[in-house]
Short mmCIF file of all heavy atoms in Angstrom, two decimals:
data_model
loop_
_atom_site.label_atom_id
_atom_site.label_comp_id
_atom_site.label_asym_id
_atom_site.label_seq_id
_atom_site.Cartn_x
_atom_site.Cartn_y
_atom_site.Cartn_z
N MET A 1 130.59 138.08 97.66
CA MET A 1 129.11 138.15 97.65
C MET A 1 128.53 136.99 98.40
O MET A 1 128.87 135.82 98.11
CB MET A 1 128.59 138.24 96.24
CG MET A 1 127.11 138.11 96.16
SD MET A 1 126.52 138.17 94.45
CE MET A 1 126.05 139.88 94.44
N PRO A 2 127.72 137.19 99.42
CA PRO A 2 127.08 136.09 100.18
C PRO A 2 126.09 135.32 99.30
O PRO A 2 125.38 135.85 98.44
CB PRO A 2 126.34 136.80 101.29
CG PRO A 2 126.89 138.17 101.37
CD PRO A 2 127.41 138.51 100.02
N VAL A 3 126.09 134.01 99.51
CA VAL A 3 125.19 133.11 98.78
C VAL A 3 124.37 132.35 99.76
O VAL A 3 124.87 131.82 100.75
CB VAL A 3 126.02 132.13 97.93
CG1 VAL A 3 125.07 131.12 97.24
CG2 VAL A 3 126.85 132.85 96.90
N VAL A 4 123.05 132.26 99.52
CA VAL A 4 122.12 131.42 100.31
C VAL A 4 121.55 130.39 99.38
O VAL A 4 121.08 130.65 98.30
CB VAL A 4 120.98 132.25 100.94
CG1 VAL A 4 119.97 131.38 101.64
CG2 VAL A 4 121.49 133.31 101.87
N VAL A 5 121.63 129.13 99.80
CA VAL A 5 121.14 127.96 99.00
C VAL A 5 119.82 127.50 99.56
O VAL A 5 119.66 127.21 100.70
CB VAL A 5 122.17 126.83 99.06
CG1 VAL A 5 121.71 125.67 98.19
CG2 VAL A 5 123.57 127.30 98.61
N GLU A 6 118.85 127.42 98.60
CA GLU A 6 117.54 126.87 99.01
C GLU A 6 117.21 125.71 98.07
O GLU A 6 117.19 125.83 96.89
CB GLU A 6 116.44 127.96 98.85
CG GLU A 6 116.55 129.10 99.84
CD GLU A 6 115.38 130.02 99.83
OE1 GLU A 6 114.41 129.72 99.09
OE2 GLU A 6 115.41 131.04 100.50
N GLU A 7 116.90 124.61 98.72
CA GLU A 7 116.45 123.42 98.01
C GLU A 7 114.95 123.28 98.19
O GLU A 7 114.50 122.94 99.26
CB GLU A 7 117.18 122.18 98.47
CG GLU A 7 117.00 120.93 97.58
CD GLU A 7 115.60 120.38 97.53
OE1 GLU A 7 114.97 120.19 98.58
OE2 GLU A 7 115.13 120.22 96.41
N ARG A 8 114.19 123.61 97.20
CA ARG A 8 112.73 123.60 97.32
C ARG A 8 112.17 122.84 96.11
O ARG A 8 111.87 123.39 95.09
CB ARG A 8 112.16 124.97 97.33
CG ARG A 8 112.62 125.76 98.51
CD ARG A 8 111.56 126.77 98.93
NE ARG A 8 112.10 127.48 100.07
CZ ARG A 8 111.70 127.22 101.34
NH1 ARG A 8 110.92 126.24 101.57
NH2 ARG A 8 112.19 127.95 102.32
N GLY A 9 112.00 121.56 96.29
CA GLY A 9 111.38 120.76 95.22
C GLY A 9 112.18 120.64 93.95
O GLY A 9 111.60 120.47 92.89
N GLN A 10 113.49 120.63 94.04
CA GLN A 10 114.29 120.54 92.82
C GLN A 10 114.52 119.12 92.37
O GLN A 10 114.84 118.92 91.17
CB GLN A 10 115.66 121.22 93.05
CG GLN A 10 115.53 122.70 93.38
CD GLN A 10 114.77 123.48 92.37
OE1 GLN A 10 114.95 123.32 91.17
NE2 GLN A 10 113.83 124.26 92.81
N ILE A 11 114.36 118.15 93.24
CA ILE A 11 114.55 116.76 92.82
C ILE A 11 113.25 116.29 92.09
O ILE A 11 112.16 116.60 92.53
CB ILE A 11 114.83 115.82 94.01
CG1 ILE A 11 116.17 116.30 94.65
CG2 ILE A 11 114.96 114.39 93.58
CD1 ILE A 11 116.54 115.46 95.88
N ALA A 12 113.38 115.55 91.02
CA ALA A 12 112.25 115.11 90.24
C ALA A 12 111.23 114.35 91.10
O ALA A 12 111.56 113.52 91.97
CB ALA A 12 112.75 114.21 89.14
N GLN A 13 109.95 114.67 90.90
CA GLN A 13 108.81 114.14 91.66
C GLN A 13 108.80 112.59 91.63
O GLN A 13 108.43 111.95 92.57
CB GLN A 13 107.55 114.72 91.18
CG GLN A 13 106.35 114.30 91.96
CD GLN A 13 106.23 114.95 93.29
OE1 GLN A 13 106.86 115.94 93.53
NE2 GLN A 13 105.48 114.35 94.18
N GLN A 14 109.17 112.00 90.47
CA GLN A 14 109.10 110.57 90.37
C GLN A 14 110.13 109.85 91.25
O GLN A 14 110.06 108.70 91.56
CB GLN A 14 109.20 110.07 88.95
CG GLN A 14 110.54 110.34 88.28
CD GLN A 14 110.61 111.67 87.60
OE1 GLN A 14 109.89 112.56 87.88
NE2 GLN A 14 111.57 111.79 86.70
N LEU A 15 111.12 110.60 91.71
CA LEU A 15 112.19 110.04 92.54
C LEU A 15 111.91 110.22 94.01
O LEU A 15 112.25 109.36 94.82
CB LEU A 15 113.55 110.72 92.20
CG LEU A 15 113.98 110.51 90.76
CD1 LEU A 15 115.31 111.28 90.53
CD2 LEU A 15 114.16 109.10 90.39
N VAL A 16 111.34 111.36 94.41
CA VAL A 16 111.01 111.64 95.82
C VAL A 16 109.59 112.15 95.84
O VAL A 16 109.27 113.30 95.57
CB VAL A 16 111.98 112.62 96.44
CG1 VAL A 16 113.34 112.02 96.65
CG2 VAL A 16 112.13 113.86 95.66
N GLY A 17 108.66 111.28 96.23
CA GLY A 17 107.26 111.61 96.12
C GLY A 17 106.68 112.40 97.29
O GLY A 17 105.58 112.99 97.16
N ALA A 18 107.34 112.43 98.42
CA ALA A 18 106.79 113.06 99.61
C ALA A 18 107.23 114.52 99.70
O ALA A 18 107.83 114.95 100.68
CB ALA A 18 107.22 112.28 100.83
N THR A 19 106.87 115.25 98.66
CA THR A 19 107.16 116.70 98.70
C THR A 19 105.86 117.51 98.51
O THR A 19 104.87 116.88 98.03
CB THR A 19 108.16 117.13 97.59
OG1 THR A 19 107.58 116.79 96.33
CG2 THR A 19 109.53 116.45 97.73
N GLY A 20 105.86 118.75 98.79
CA GLY A 20 104.64 119.49 98.69
C GLY A 20 104.41 120.13 97.33
O GLY A 20 103.35 120.66 97.05
N ARG A 21 105.39 120.01 96.45
CA ARG A 21 105.31 120.70 95.14
C ARG A 21 105.86 119.79 94.05
O ARG A 21 106.91 119.25 94.17
CB ARG A 21 106.12 122.02 95.20
CG ARG A 21 106.02 122.83 93.98
CD ARG A 21 106.71 124.15 94.25
NE ARG A 21 107.87 124.24 93.37
CZ ARG A 21 108.80 125.19 93.52
NH1 ARG A 21 108.75 125.99 94.52
NH2 ARG A 21 109.72 125.24 92.67
N ILE A 22 105.13 119.68 92.98
CA ILE A 22 105.55 118.88 91.84
C ILE A 22 106.50 119.71 90.98
O ILE A 22 106.21 120.83 90.65
CB ILE A 22 104.38 118.39 90.98
CG1 ILE A 22 103.55 117.44 91.83
CG2 ILE A 22 104.81 117.72 89.74
CD1 ILE A 22 102.24 117.00 91.19
N GLU A 23 107.65 119.17 90.63
CA GLU A 23 108.64 119.87 89.82
C GLU A 23 108.86 119.05 88.55
O GLU A 23 109.64 118.09 88.58
CB GLU A 23 109.93 120.03 90.58
CG GLU A 23 110.97 120.84 89.89
CD GLU A 23 110.63 122.28 89.66
OE1 GLU A 23 109.99 122.85 90.55
OE2 GLU A 23 110.97 122.83 88.64
N ALA A 24 108.18 119.38 87.49
CA ALA A 24 108.34 118.64 86.27
C ALA A 24 109.76 118.85 85.71
O ALA A 24 110.24 119.96 85.70
CB ALA A 24 107.31 119.12 85.22
N GLY A 25 110.35 117.75 85.33
CA GLY A 25 111.73 117.89 84.78
C GLY A 25 112.78 118.21 85.85
O GLY A 25 113.78 118.78 85.51
N GLY A 26 112.53 117.87 87.07
CA GLY A 26 113.46 118.18 88.17
C GLY A 26 114.75 117.39 88.01
O GLY A 26 114.90 116.50 87.15
N LEU A 27 115.71 117.72 88.86
CA LEU A 27 116.99 117.06 88.85
C LEU A 27 116.94 115.66 89.47
O LEU A 27 116.12 115.38 90.33
CB LEU A 27 117.99 117.90 89.65
CG LEU A 27 118.22 119.33 89.20
CD1 LEU A 27 119.06 120.07 90.27
CD2 LEU A 27 118.89 119.36 87.85
N THR A 28 117.84 114.79 89.07
CA THR A 28 118.04 113.55 89.81
C THR A 28 118.81 113.90 91.05
O THR A 28 119.44 114.99 91.17
CB THR A 28 118.80 112.50 89.01
OG1 THR A 28 120.13 112.96 88.77
CG2 THR A 28 118.13 112.17 87.66
N SER A 29 118.77 113.05 92.06
CA SER A 29 119.51 113.33 93.31
C SER A 29 120.99 113.40 92.97
O SER A 29 121.70 114.26 93.57
CB SER A 29 119.24 112.24 94.35
OG SER A 29 119.48 110.97 93.84
N ARG A 30 121.54 112.60 92.06
CA ARG A 30 122.95 112.69 91.72
C ARG A 30 123.30 114.06 91.10
O ARG A 30 124.30 114.68 91.45
CB ARG A 30 123.26 111.60 90.70
CG ARG A 30 124.72 111.70 90.20
CD ARG A 30 124.94 110.63 89.15
NE ARG A 30 125.14 109.34 89.85
CZ ARG A 30 125.60 108.25 89.31
NH1 ARG A 30 125.99 108.29 88.03
NH2 ARG A 30 125.70 107.16 89.99
N GLU A 31 122.43 114.59 90.24
CA GLU A 31 122.63 115.91 89.64
C GLU A 31 122.63 117.03 90.72
O GLU A 31 123.44 117.91 90.68
CB GLU A 31 121.63 116.18 88.58
CG GLU A 31 121.75 115.30 87.36
CD GLU A 31 120.53 115.38 86.42
OE1 GLU A 31 119.43 115.77 86.89
OE2 GLU A 31 120.70 115.09 85.20
N LEU A 32 121.66 116.91 91.63
CA LEU A 32 121.62 117.92 92.69
C LEU A 32 122.84 117.87 93.58
O LEU A 32 123.42 118.95 93.90
CB LEU A 32 120.34 117.75 93.53
CG LEU A 32 120.19 118.69 94.69
CD1 LEU A 32 120.13 120.16 94.23
CD2 LEU A 32 118.94 118.34 95.53
N LEU A 33 123.30 116.72 93.99
CA LEU A 33 124.45 116.57 94.80
C LEU A 33 125.68 117.13 94.10
O LEU A 33 126.53 117.78 94.71
CB LEU A 33 124.66 115.13 95.26
CG LEU A 33 123.56 114.58 96.15
CD1 LEU A 33 123.90 113.07 96.40
CD2 LEU A 33 123.43 115.36 97.43
N HIS A 34 125.80 116.89 92.80
CA HIS A 34 126.92 117.43 92.03
C HIS A 34 126.90 118.96 92.04
O HIS A 34 127.92 119.62 92.23
CB HIS A 34 126.83 116.91 90.58
CG HIS A 34 127.90 117.47 89.67
ND1 HIS A 34 129.21 117.05 89.74
CD2 HIS A 34 127.84 118.39 88.73
CE1 HIS A 34 129.91 117.72 88.88
NE2 HIS A 34 129.11 118.53 88.19
N CYS A 35 125.71 119.53 91.88
CA CYS A 35 125.58 121.01 91.91
C CYS A 35 125.96 121.56 93.29
O CYS A 35 126.68 122.55 93.41
CB CYS A 35 124.16 121.42 91.57
SG CYS A 35 123.62 121.15 89.91
N LEU A 36 125.57 120.87 94.35
CA LEU A 36 125.90 121.38 95.70
C LEU A 36 127.41 121.31 95.93
O LEU A 36 127.95 122.19 96.57
CB LEU A 36 125.11 120.53 96.76
CG LEU A 36 123.62 120.69 96.77
CD1 LEU A 36 122.99 119.70 97.78
CD2 LEU A 36 123.22 122.15 97.08
N ARG A 37 128.02 120.20 95.50
CA ARG A 37 129.47 120.07 95.74
C ARG A 37 130.24 121.16 94.95
O ARG A 37 131.34 121.57 95.40
CB ARG A 37 129.93 118.71 95.23
CG ARG A 37 129.42 117.59 96.18
CD ARG A 37 129.78 116.23 95.69
NE ARG A 37 129.14 115.23 96.53
CZ ARG A 37 128.60 114.12 96.06
NH1 ARG A 37 128.61 113.87 94.76
NH2 ARG A 37 128.06 113.27 96.87
N ASN A 38 129.73 121.68 93.92
CA ASN A 38 130.35 122.73 93.14
C ASN A 38 130.22 124.10 93.78
O ASN A 38 130.79 125.04 93.31
CB ASN A 38 129.84 122.78 91.70
CG ASN A 38 130.39 121.65 90.83
OD1 ASN A 38 131.52 121.26 91.04
ND2 ASN A 38 129.59 121.16 89.96
N LEU A 39 129.51 124.17 94.88
CA LEU A 39 129.40 125.46 95.61
C LEU A 39 130.59 125.72 96.55
O LEU A 39 130.74 126.84 97.00
CB LEU A 39 128.10 125.45 96.48
CG LEU A 39 126.82 125.38 95.72
CD1 LEU A 39 125.64 125.23 96.66
CD2 LEU A 39 126.67 126.62 94.86
N VAL A 40 131.46 124.73 96.73
CA VAL A 40 132.63 124.94 97.57
C VAL A 40 133.49 126.08 96.97
O VAL A 40 133.71 126.08 95.76
CB VAL A 40 133.46 123.63 97.67
CG1 VAL A 40 134.79 123.87 98.37
CG2 VAL A 40 132.67 122.57 98.41
N GLY A 41 133.86 126.98 97.82
CA GLY A 41 134.69 128.10 97.33
C GLY A 41 133.85 129.42 97.22
O GLY A 41 134.38 130.47 97.20
N LEU A 42 132.52 129.28 97.23
CA LEU A 42 131.65 130.43 97.22
C LEU A 42 131.43 130.85 98.70
O LEU A 42 131.63 130.03 99.58
CB LEU A 42 130.32 130.15 96.54
CG LEU A 42 130.35 129.83 95.07
CD1 LEU A 42 128.91 129.51 94.59
CD2 LEU A 42 130.92 130.97 94.28
N ASN A 43 130.98 132.03 98.90
CA ASN A 43 130.72 132.55 100.24
C ASN A 43 129.32 132.13 100.66
O ASN A 43 128.39 132.97 100.75
CB ASN A 43 130.89 134.07 100.27
CG ASN A 43 130.72 134.59 101.65
OD1 ASN A 43 130.85 133.93 102.62
ND2 ASN A 43 130.41 135.90 101.71
N VAL A 44 129.08 130.85 100.90
CA VAL A 44 127.79 130.35 101.30
C VAL A 44 127.55 130.72 102.78
O VAL A 44 128.34 130.31 103.63
CB VAL A 44 127.69 128.81 101.11
CG1 VAL A 44 126.32 128.31 101.54
CG2 VAL A 44 127.90 128.47 99.63
N VAL A 45 126.48 131.43 103.02
CA VAL A 45 126.21 131.92 104.38
C VAL A 45 125.00 131.28 105.01
O VAL A 45 124.76 131.45 106.19
CB VAL A 45 126.06 133.45 104.48
CG1 VAL A 45 127.37 134.15 104.06
CG2 VAL A 45 124.95 133.91 103.56
N GLY A 46 124.23 130.55 104.21
CA GLY A 46 123.05 129.89 104.72
C GLY A 46 122.48 128.91 103.74
O GLY A 46 122.82 128.92 102.58
N ALA A 47 121.67 128.00 104.26
CA ALA A 47 121.03 126.99 103.41
C ALA A 47 119.70 126.56 103.99
O ALA A 47 119.45 126.74 105.17
CB ALA A 47 121.94 125.75 103.31
N ASP A 48 118.85 126.05 103.12
CA ASP A 48 117.47 125.68 103.51
C ASP A 48 117.03 124.47 102.69
O ASP A 48 117.26 124.39 101.48
CB ASP A 48 116.53 126.89 103.25
CG ASP A 48 115.12 126.61 103.65
OD1 ASP A 48 114.88 125.73 104.48
OD2 ASP A 48 114.23 127.25 103.07
N ILE A 49 116.39 123.56 103.37
CA ILE A 49 115.73 122.43 102.75
C ILE A 49 114.26 122.57 103.04
O ILE A 49 113.88 122.63 104.19
CB ILE A 49 116.26 121.08 103.23
CG1 ILE A 49 117.74 120.95 102.94
CG2 ILE A 49 115.49 119.91 102.60
CD1 ILE A 49 118.40 119.72 103.52
N GLY A 50 113.44 122.52 102.00
CA GLY A 50 111.98 122.67 102.28
C GLY A 50 111.20 121.57 101.58
O GLY A 50 111.70 120.81 100.77
N GLU A 51 109.97 121.47 102.01
CA GLU A 51 108.95 120.62 101.42
C GLU A 51 109.28 119.10 101.49
O GLU A 51 109.23 118.38 100.47
CB GLU A 51 108.75 121.01 99.95
CG GLU A 51 108.28 122.46 99.86
CD GLU A 51 107.80 122.85 98.45
OE1 GLU A 51 107.47 121.96 97.72
OE2 GLU A 51 107.79 124.05 98.22
N VAL A 52 109.59 118.62 102.67
CA VAL A 52 109.73 117.23 102.89
C VAL A 52 108.57 116.79 103.78
O VAL A 52 108.49 117.22 104.94
CB VAL A 52 111.07 116.85 103.58
CG1 VAL A 52 111.12 115.35 103.85
CG2 VAL A 52 112.23 117.20 102.70
N ALA A 53 107.66 115.99 103.26
CA ALA A 53 106.44 115.57 104.01
C ALA A 53 106.70 114.13 104.47
O ALA A 53 106.28 113.17 103.81
CB ALA A 53 105.21 115.68 103.16
N LEU A 54 107.31 113.96 105.61
CA LEU A 54 107.69 112.64 106.08
C LEU A 54 106.50 111.75 106.33
O LEU A 54 106.59 110.52 106.24
CB LEU A 54 108.59 112.74 107.33
CG LEU A 54 109.94 113.39 107.08
CD1 LEU A 54 110.68 113.47 108.38
CD2 LEU A 54 110.73 112.65 106.05
N ALA A 55 105.31 112.33 106.63
CA ALA A 55 104.14 111.54 106.86
C ALA A 55 103.71 110.78 105.60
O ALA A 55 103.04 109.78 105.66
CB ALA A 55 103.01 112.46 107.32
N HIS A 56 104.09 111.33 104.44
CA HIS A 56 103.79 110.67 103.15
C HIS A 56 104.93 109.89 102.53
O HIS A 56 104.86 109.43 101.45
CB HIS A 56 103.29 111.73 102.17
CG HIS A 56 102.15 112.52 102.67
ND1 HIS A 56 100.88 111.94 102.80
CD2 HIS A 56 102.02 113.78 103.08
CE1 HIS A 56 100.02 112.89 103.24
NE2 HIS A 56 100.74 113.97 103.45
N ASP A 57 106.05 109.82 103.29
CA ASP A 57 107.25 109.16 102.79
C ASP A 57 107.30 107.72 103.24
O ASP A 57 108.10 107.37 104.12
CB ASP A 57 108.46 109.95 103.34
CG ASP A 57 109.74 109.55 102.63
OD1 ASP A 57 109.70 108.91 101.58
OD2 ASP A 57 110.81 109.92 103.17
N HIS A 58 106.47 106.90 102.66
CA HIS A 58 106.33 105.51 103.16
C HIS A 58 107.55 104.66 102.94
O HIS A 58 107.84 103.78 103.75
CB HIS A 58 105.13 104.85 102.42
CG HIS A 58 103.88 105.70 102.57
ND1 HIS A 58 103.24 105.85 103.77
CD2 HIS A 58 103.15 106.35 101.63
CE1 HIS A 58 102.18 106.62 103.59
NE2 HIS A 58 102.11 106.92 102.32
N ALA A 59 108.33 104.89 101.94
CA ALA A 59 109.56 104.12 101.65
C ALA A 59 110.80 104.86 102.15
O ALA A 59 111.91 104.37 101.97
CB ALA A 59 109.72 103.84 100.19
N GLU A 60 110.62 106.02 102.78
CA GLU A 60 111.68 106.82 103.36
C GLU A 60 112.71 107.33 102.32
O GLU A 60 113.82 107.74 102.64
CB GLU A 60 112.47 106.05 104.47
CG GLU A 60 111.53 105.68 105.61
CD GLU A 60 112.23 104.94 106.72
OE1 GLU A 60 113.40 104.50 106.50
OE2 GLU A 60 111.62 104.72 107.76
N ILE A 61 112.34 107.35 101.07
CA ILE A 61 113.23 107.78 99.99
C ILE A 61 113.44 109.30 100.09
O ILE A 61 114.59 109.77 100.00
CB ILE A 61 112.63 107.39 98.59
CG1 ILE A 61 112.63 105.87 98.50
CG2 ILE A 61 113.45 108.02 97.47
CD1 ILE A 61 111.89 105.37 97.27
N THR A 62 112.37 110.05 100.30
CA THR A 62 112.47 111.50 100.40
C THR A 62 113.28 111.90 101.63
O THR A 62 114.16 112.83 101.54
CB THR A 62 111.06 112.14 100.43
OG1 THR A 62 110.32 111.68 99.37
CG2 THR A 62 111.16 113.65 100.41
N GLY A 63 113.07 111.22 102.75
CA GLY A 63 113.82 111.54 103.96
C GLY A 63 115.31 111.30 103.80
O GLY A 63 116.14 112.08 104.24
N ILE A 64 115.65 110.18 103.13
CA ILE A 64 117.03 109.81 102.95
C ILE A 64 117.67 110.86 101.95
O ILE A 64 118.83 111.33 102.18
CB ILE A 64 117.19 108.42 102.41
CG1 ILE A 64 116.82 107.42 103.48
CG2 ILE A 64 118.59 108.12 101.87
CD1 ILE A 64 116.61 105.97 102.99
N ALA A 65 116.97 111.22 100.94
CA ALA A 65 117.45 112.24 100.00
C ALA A 65 117.68 113.60 100.70
O ALA A 65 118.72 114.23 100.50
CB ALA A 65 116.55 112.39 98.80
N ALA A 66 116.72 114.00 101.53
CA ALA A 66 116.84 115.23 102.28
C ALA A 66 118.06 115.23 103.23
O ALA A 66 118.75 116.21 103.37
CB ALA A 66 115.58 115.55 103.01
N ALA A 67 118.24 114.08 103.89
CA ALA A 67 119.39 113.94 104.79
C ALA A 67 120.69 114.08 104.04
O ALA A 67 121.65 114.66 104.55
CB ALA A 67 119.29 112.62 105.55
N ARG A 68 120.77 113.48 102.88
CA ARG A 68 121.97 113.56 102.08
C ARG A 68 122.25 115.00 101.63
O ARG A 68 123.38 115.44 101.61
CB ARG A 68 121.91 112.60 100.90
CG ARG A 68 123.16 112.54 100.11
CD ARG A 68 124.34 112.12 100.99
NE ARG A 68 125.58 112.30 100.29
CZ ARG A 68 126.51 111.41 100.21
NH1 ARG A 68 126.39 110.24 100.81
NH2 ARG A 68 127.65 111.65 99.56
N VAL A 69 121.19 115.66 101.19
CA VAL A 69 121.32 117.09 100.79
C VAL A 69 121.78 117.92 101.99
O VAL A 69 122.68 118.77 101.84
CB VAL A 69 119.97 117.60 100.21
CG1 VAL A 69 120.02 119.11 100.07
CG2 VAL A 69 119.68 116.95 98.88
N ALA A 70 121.21 117.68 103.16
CA ALA A 70 121.66 118.43 104.33
C ALA A 70 123.16 118.13 104.67
O ALA A 70 123.88 119.08 104.97
CB ALA A 70 120.79 117.97 105.57
N TYR A 71 123.56 116.92 104.51
CA TYR A 71 124.96 116.56 104.76
C TYR A 71 125.87 117.37 103.75
O TYR A 71 126.89 117.92 104.18
CB TYR A 71 125.19 115.06 104.55
CG TYR A 71 126.63 114.64 104.58
CD1 TYR A 71 127.31 114.52 105.77
CD2 TYR A 71 127.34 114.41 103.41
CE1 TYR A 71 128.62 114.15 105.78
CE2 TYR A 71 128.66 114.08 103.40
CZ TYR A 71 129.31 113.89 104.59
OH TYR A 71 130.62 113.52 104.59
N GLU A 72 125.48 117.37 102.47
CA GLU A 72 126.26 118.06 101.49
C GLU A 72 126.29 119.59 101.76
O GLU A 72 127.34 120.21 101.59
CB GLU A 72 125.75 117.77 100.08
CG GLU A 72 125.91 116.34 99.63
CD GLU A 72 127.33 115.87 99.49
OE1 GLU A 72 128.25 116.71 99.29
OE2 GLU A 72 127.57 114.66 99.57
N LEU A 73 125.16 120.10 102.14
CA LEU A 73 125.12 121.54 102.48
C LEU A 73 125.96 121.90 103.64
O LEU A 73 126.71 122.90 103.63
CB LEU A 73 123.67 121.97 102.72
CG LEU A 73 122.78 122.11 101.50
CD1 LEU A 73 121.34 122.30 101.91
CD2 LEU A 73 123.26 123.18 100.55
N LEU A 74 126.00 121.04 104.68
CA LEU A 74 126.83 121.30 105.83
C LEU A 74 128.35 121.15 105.46
O LEU A 74 129.15 121.94 105.94
CB LEU A 74 126.53 120.27 106.95
CG LEU A 74 125.24 120.55 107.69
CD1 LEU A 74 124.91 119.42 108.65
CD2 LEU A 74 125.28 121.89 108.44
N SER A 75 128.61 120.26 104.57
CA SER A 75 130.00 120.10 104.06
C SER A 75 130.44 121.39 103.35
O SER A 75 131.59 121.79 103.46
CB SER A 75 130.14 118.88 103.18
OG SER A 75 129.86 117.72 103.86
N VAL A 76 129.53 121.94 102.53
CA VAL A 76 129.86 123.15 101.81
C VAL A 76 130.06 124.31 102.80
O VAL A 76 131.01 125.05 102.70
CB VAL A 76 128.73 123.50 100.81
CG1 VAL A 76 128.91 124.97 100.27
CG2 VAL A 76 128.69 122.56 99.62
N LEU A 77 129.16 124.40 103.82
CA LEU A 77 129.32 125.47 104.82
C LEU A 77 130.62 125.32 105.58
O LEU A 77 131.26 126.29 105.91
CB LEU A 77 128.13 125.47 105.76
CG LEU A 77 126.81 125.92 105.19
CD1 LEU A 77 125.68 125.62 106.11
CD2 LEU A 77 126.89 127.43 104.91
N ALA A 78 131.00 124.07 105.90
CA ALA A 78 132.25 123.81 106.64
C ALA A 78 133.48 124.21 105.81
O ALA A 78 134.51 124.61 106.36
CB ALA A 78 132.34 122.37 107.06
N ALA A 79 133.37 124.09 104.47
CA ALA A 79 134.53 124.40 103.61
C ALA A 79 134.58 125.84 103.25
O ALA A 79 135.52 126.27 102.61
CB ALA A 79 134.42 123.53 102.33
N THR A 80 133.59 126.63 103.67
CA THR A 80 133.58 128.05 103.32
C THR A 80 134.55 128.78 104.20
O THR A 80 134.49 128.63 105.44
CB THR A 80 132.16 128.63 103.49
OG1 THR A 80 131.27 127.92 102.61
CG2 THR A 80 132.11 130.10 103.14
N PRO A 81 135.46 129.54 103.63
CA PRO A 81 136.47 130.23 104.45
C PRO A 81 135.87 131.33 105.32
O PRO A 81 134.86 131.88 105.11
CB PRO A 81 137.39 130.85 103.45
CG PRO A 81 136.73 130.75 102.12
CD PRO A 81 135.62 129.78 102.23
#
């Protein structure tokens, strides 16, 4: 079964402030990366990262987190048979 991964505001707002949507009780970046790494072996056919507002990312925390999520998603896609 094909799987599409969408990351839309899942990281807690207090950790990455430059997003378009507040997610109360969101994941820490460590928890999200752990979840993404566990996707290896599934039939991942696509991925999406949304809601990164770099104009509001003064400390570049959101951009760095999004880049790391992109890296992990690409790693999952590369490991998909």
Side-chain angles (χ1 to χ4, degrees):
M1 169 179 263
V3 176
V4 176
V5 181
E6 291 188 8
E7 192 294 310
R8 299 209 179 261
Q10 299 305 313
I11 299 178
Q13 183 73 20
Q14 68 271 20
L15 302 176
V16 291
T19 61
R21 182 172 118 191
I22 296 173
E23 183 68 35
L27 302 171
T28 66
S29 55
R30 175 182 285 193
E31 292 168 336
L32 178 59
L33 295 176
H34 178 74
C35 291
L36 293 175
R37 291 177 186 138
N38 284 325
L39 295 174
V40 172
L42 296 178
N43 184 21
V44 179
V45 296
D48 180 25
I49 298 173
E51 303 190 20
V52 177
L54 295 179
H56 302 290
D57 191 16
H58 306 294
E60 300 179 351
I61 295 170
T62 307
I64 291 169
R68 184 58 192 229
V69 168
Y71 172 82
E72 294 295 336
L73 287 171
L74 287 171
S75 297
V76 169
L77 288 169
T80 300

